[in-house]
Amino acid sequence: MKVNTQLLFLLFSMVLLFVSCKTKPKEQTTDSSIDKKWWKEAVVYQIYPRSFKDSDGDGVGDLNGILSKLDYIKSLGIDAVWLNPIYSSPNDDNGYDVSDYRNIMKDFGTMQDFDVLLKGMHDRNIKLVMDIVVNHSSDEHEWFKQSRSSRDNPYRNYYHWWNAEKGKPPYRYSLFDVNHDAWKYDSLTNAYYLHYFSQKQPDLNWENPKVRHEIYDMMIFWAKKGVDGFRLDAFQFAAKDTLFPAFPKGFEKDFVKYYAMGPHLHDYLKEMNREVFSKFDVMSVAEGAGNTFEDAHALVDADRNELNMAYAFEAIDIAKPEGYSVLHFKEVFSKWDSAFASKGWLSIVLANHDQARLVSRFGNDSSEFRDVSSKMLTTFLLSMRGTPYYYYGDELGMTNAGFEKIEDYKDMPTLNEYQHQKNIGGDLKKYMEFIKFSCRDNGRTPMQWDSSINAGFTSGTPWLKINPNYKYINVSAQEKDENSCLNYLKKMVKLRKENEVLVYGKFTSIDKNNPDVFAYTRELNGKKMLILLNFRSQPVTVKTGIDISKAKTLISNYKTPSVNGILQPYEAIVYELYN
Ligand code: GLC
């Protein structure tokens, strides 16, 4: 009997081994140096809730609206949704001014709606990443109300105060303030409070352990509900030298160098990791990645026990109204990739709610090239090493709205800067030209669902004007068109999902000095892909030195991809190479 059991066990193991050897595709052979994680393999789709889908006709997108579109979101093939803030807020900065971290903004619905939405996502295998806005709160948060009420209130130290009898505090720049002054005088207690963003966004005092633990508890509250990740808004700026020394002359406004990565930031992140991240299966990403590769590594290397992935801005910031250099673009992505080739992990991103539209900034939104250039950029975002973040509407090739009148803009810092320019007698015409291309409202216009009134976004008056091109750029039209941008994204996501090489594979830039084409290979465990991307509106030559006669074209944004080394305008091709 004993022998039989052993024999059976042996036979069973042999069968298992045989089956696994036979069925394990080559691609699955894992490279032991790769630390695989779900959040590395995920494609993240970012939703700006205000603009996605309105369910109750008040002109503002909401949670039930998103719920009604979950099948659409699922159809994209993405794995996770990053939702911009949905907490109670007076909406000075569209939810980035939180008045209650444990409640849902009235415009967006109720906590019950949230629970249903989260379940709906999980039922479809979609994860949810929450936006955590804790460099600052709203001035309407109970903590701030208490804090400002008297100098000896227990919440006084939840924020940064400077008593006026000490004189004016050393200058701090505010990004959003009309006068760019980060100290606001409050006569109630004869003191100034600090706000790096607007006056209604006072900075929380991270040096106070009570603040930190309130925040960890709040994050645990959401983690216990089952959310799958956190994006830390503006977190680089959370740590401060509370003595507020004067910054060196000429650098008082140098946000990157003097305001970011303050003392103890890493201690706070390690503490947050210990208290929150390590206890749940959640991913974490901060906005920004410090000032150097060393900073970025210190934030995200696994052995640091801080965050999971870097979200750097160097590439996003390249696009300017006057255009950008493709060589520069290539250089930035190549150097970040090589700095993170063996340690750490990157986000791959070119657009989000703080930027104008992807195709208008990095592609070409003319009627002739919008479609191909948008698909080319999609090919890029989904074929790089790192976790792609894909912004709602980019799957349609949605474009900048480019409003002509200041009244059409809703973005608080844009309006404040307009006022600032007016106050200092600045060139308002020039400013209007600038925001037409760069204002973040361009990237926040409502989702274009169909060609019916208000693009199917709302039955009411949309909070921000809808881009009139919704008549022809919309989900309904693109779902029916096999060659649409939308269907291209779906194919590209599928390609990435089916080819681990596109997630983990080694990246090598080729034809490096080519000023028009980004060409690179991805390699993993004997599998090799070649990606060719023409960033120009005219045909250009690429010299890869690779024999593509035996290569298989996996995807291309042209019906007939070029074969002669001359790429068509904005052409994108992904090949699998065989030796
Ligand atoms: C981040 C957000 C931005 C917001 C700011 C203040 O940069 O992405 O939208 O306005 O922080 O919270």
Side-chain angles (χ1 to χ4, degrees):
M1 181 66 196
K2 200 173 168 221
V3 174
N4 273 349
T5 319
Q6 273 178 356
L7 195 71
L8 267 177
F9 180 70
L10 190 71
L11 270 174
F12 184 58
S13 314
M14 281 174 66
V15 169
L16 262 187
L17 187 72
F18 175 73
V19 170
S20 68
C21 286
K22 271 200 81 163
T23 55
K24 211 172 197 176
K26 205 173 164 199
E27 176 58 19
Q28 296 290 309
T29 324
T30 57
D31 180 340
S32 58
S33 67
I34 295 175
D35 180 22
K36 297 189 176 184
K37 296 280 186 253
W38 70 260
W39 42 264
K40 293 184 180 174
E41 292 166 20
V43 176
V44 181
Y45 182 66
Q46 185 191 345
I47 293 181
Y48 198 65
R50 239 186 148 61
S51 301
F52 199 62
K53 172 73 187 162
D54 175 21
S55 72
D56 58 6
D58 65 358
V60 174
D62 48 40
L63 300 185
N64 281 332
I66 300 173
L67 182 73
S68 70
K69 295 295 182 186
L70 281 185
D71 289 335
Y72 169 78
I73 297 167
K74 179 72 191 166
S75 77
L76 302 176
I78 57 93
D79 307 270
V81 165
W82 155 23
L83 268 190
N84 292 97
I86 53 169
Y87 319 98
S88 304
S89 165
N91 276 315
D92 181 50
D93 186 18
N94 289 355
Y96 281 96
D97 47 322
V98 180
S99 54
D100 183 351
Y101 290 100
R102 293 173 191 236
N103 252 314
I104 302 294
M105 187 193 298
K106 282 206 184 67
D107 287 348
F108 290 171
T110 63
M111 191 59 90
Q112 205 193 341
D113 297 337
F114 174 83
D115 293 337
V116 174
L117 178 63
L118 182 61
K119 182 168 182 312
M121 287 186 170
H122 285 168
D123 287 348
R124 291 168 178 79
N125 267 325
I126 300 169
K127 295 185 189 288
L128 175 62
V129 177
M130 296 287 274
D131 211 322
I132 298 288
V133 191
V134 287
N135 169 70
H136 45 268
S137 73
S138 161
D139 65 340
E140 297 183 34
H141 193 291
E142 189 54 33
W143 298 338
F144 190 74
K145 289 186 190 161
Q146 293 287 333
S147 184
R148 76 177 281 249
S149 67
S150 77
R151 286 191 180 185
D152 52 14
N153 185 283
Y155 288 89
R156 186 67 170 179
N157 276 337
Y158 272 46
Y159 297 86
H160 298 284
W161 290 96
W162 181 278
N163 292 339
E165 59 272 19
K166 293 198 284 178
K168 275 203 92 174
Y171 180 73
R172 288 295 182 271
Y173 183 76
S174 162
L175 287 159
F176 290 0
D177 188 65
V178 177
N179 300 315
H180 295 296
D181 182 354
W183 291 106
K184 159 105 173 119
Y185 179 70
D186 190 11
S187 59
L188 198 64
T189 54
N190 189 33
Y192 298 85
Y193 69 84
L194 186 73
H195 62 91
Y196 281 177
F197 294 90
S198 85
Q199 294 184 357
K200 287 186 68 61
Q201 295 169 296
D203 284 45
L204 282 157
N205 180 5
W206 271 78
E207 288 63 41
N208 180 350
K210 280 197 190 142
V211 169
R212 303 204 296 274
H213 287 280
E214 294 252 26
I215 287 165
Y216 306 148
D217 286 351
M218 173 274 284
M219 292 170 82
I220 288 169
F221 166 85
W222 290 101
K224 282 192 174 156
K225 277 188 171 284
V227 308
D228 308 281
F230 297 107
R231 176 252 184 194
L232 299 183
D233 178 72
F235 198 71
Q236 297 191 86
F237 308 117
K240 283 137 185 135
D241 180 344
T242 50
L243 295 175
F244 295 107
F247 289 150
K249 260 212 147 358
F251 291 95
E252 296 88 348
K253 298 179 181 174
D254 194 333
F255 235 74
V256 175
K257 199 152 179 217
Y258 283 96
Y259 293 68
M261 307 298 292
H264 306 303
L265 187 78
H266 291 295
D267 300 336
Y268 304 154
L269 285 172
K270 284 192 194 320
E271 190 177 62
M272 187 185 282
N273 188 301
R274 232 176 15 248
E275 301 283 328
V276 188
F277 303 149
S278 67
K279 296 183 178 156
F280 301 88
D281 182 17
V282 289
M283 63 155 257
S284 54
V285 54
E287 186 189 19
N291 304 323
T292 60
F293 291 141
E294 289 72 36
D295 277 353
H297 274 295
L299 288 168
V300 304
D301 284 357
D303 53 6
R304 299 273 307 171
N305 294 316
E306 295 187 21
L307 299 167
N308 291 146
M309 66 179 106
Y311 187 103
F313 279 93
E314 192 174 350
I316 300 179
D317 290 342
I318 286 178
K320 300 276 185 276
E322 58 278 11
Y324 66 97
S325 143
V326 177
L327 277 176
H328 187 192
F329 183 96
K330 287 164 58 162
E331 180 217 313
V332 171
F333 276 102
S334 306
K335 75 177 182 191
W336 275 90
D337 184 87
S338 85
F340 280 72
S342 50
K343 225 177 171 197
W345 192 253
L346 297 174
S347 309
I348 299 296
V349 53
L350 287 175
N352 63 32
H353 65 291
D354 290 330
Q355 311 295 329
R357 278 285 166 190
L358 175 71
V359 72
S360 302
R361 294 184 78 224
F362 286 97
N364 183 328
D365 62 10
S366 68
S367 54
E368 194 179 357
F369 295 119
R370 182 184 54 78
D371 192 271
V372 268
S373 69
S374 159
K375 290 172 184 164
M376 185 276 287
L377 292 166
T378 295
T379 316
F380 168 74
L381 288 164
L382 288 151
S383 63
M384 288 293 286
R385 176 158 51 187
T387 301
Y389 283 71
Y390 202 89
Y391 188 54
Y392 89 93
D394 285 343
E395 71 271 33
L396 308 177
M398 273 175 64
T399 64
N400 277 359
F403 301 130
E404 302 281 349
K405 290 188 290 189
I406 192 69
E407 296 75 41
D408 288 336
Y409 290 89
K410 301 286 174 241
D411 180 43
M412 171 267 292
T414 300
L415 299 177
N416 283 358
E417 186 58 28
Y418 185 82
Q419 189 55 48
H420 176 71
Q421 290 300 325
K422 240 177 153 175
N423 294 349
I424 63 168
D427 186 341
L428 288 178
K429 218 171 137 219
K430 202 166 152 206
Y431 182 66
M432 288 305 296
E433 273 312 301
F434 173 75
I435 59 176
K436 206 172 152 184
F437 179 81
S438 303
C439 175
R440 49 192 196 166
D441 277 347
N442 280 304
R444 296 175 175 183
T445 58
M447 180 68 167
Q448 299 170 191
W449 293 105
D450 55 43
S451 59
S452 71
I453 187 151
N454 292 328
F457 163 70
T458 181
S459 57
T461 309
W463 73 276
L464 181 66
K465 278 195 169 168
I466 294 173
N467 193 317
N469 63 21
Y470 76 87
K471 290 271 181 208
Y472 52 94
I473 303 177
N474 63 60
V475 171
S476 167
Q478 295 204 12
E479 275 181 336
K480 288 177 209 127
D481 174 4
E482 200 199 319
N483 295 315
S484 65
C485 295
L486 174 59
N487 280 316
Y488 190 87
L489 169 76
K490 292 182 191 176
K491 284 179 211 153
M492 204 51 222
V493 172
K494 189 160 177 277
L495 190 70
R496 187 175 178 94
K497 298 265 125 199
E498 288 169 353
N499 291 280
E500 217 175 20
V501 58
L502 290 176
V503 177
Y504 294 112
K506 179 173 165 239
F507 160 94
T508 311
S509 174
I510 48 180
D511 200 6
K512 269 192 197 161
N513 299 324
N514 190 321
D516 310 309
V517 177
F518 201 177
Y520 46 93
T521 55
R522 304 291 313 276
E523 276 172 88
L524 183 74
N525 299 331
K527 190 158 185 161
K528 190 166 179 179
M529 300 224 174
L530 170 67
I531 294 101
L532 303 181
L533 308 168
N534 177 6
F535 275 69
R536 301 290 179 202
S537 57
Q538 62 272 343
V540 296
T541 308
V542 58
K543 291 201 176 77
T544 61
I546 294 173
D547 173 14
I548 54 160
S549 60
K550 278 188 271 161
K552 181 175 167 199
T553 304
L554 299 179
I555 192 166
S556 163
N557 57 352
Y558 275 84
K559 270 200 190 109
T560 320
S562 56
V563 283
N564 54 0
I566 299 174
L567 297 174
Q568 304 167 77
Y570 297 106
E571 182 161 13
I573 316 179
V574 179
Y575 295 105
E576 180 163 359
L577 299 174
Y578 304 101
N579 293 327

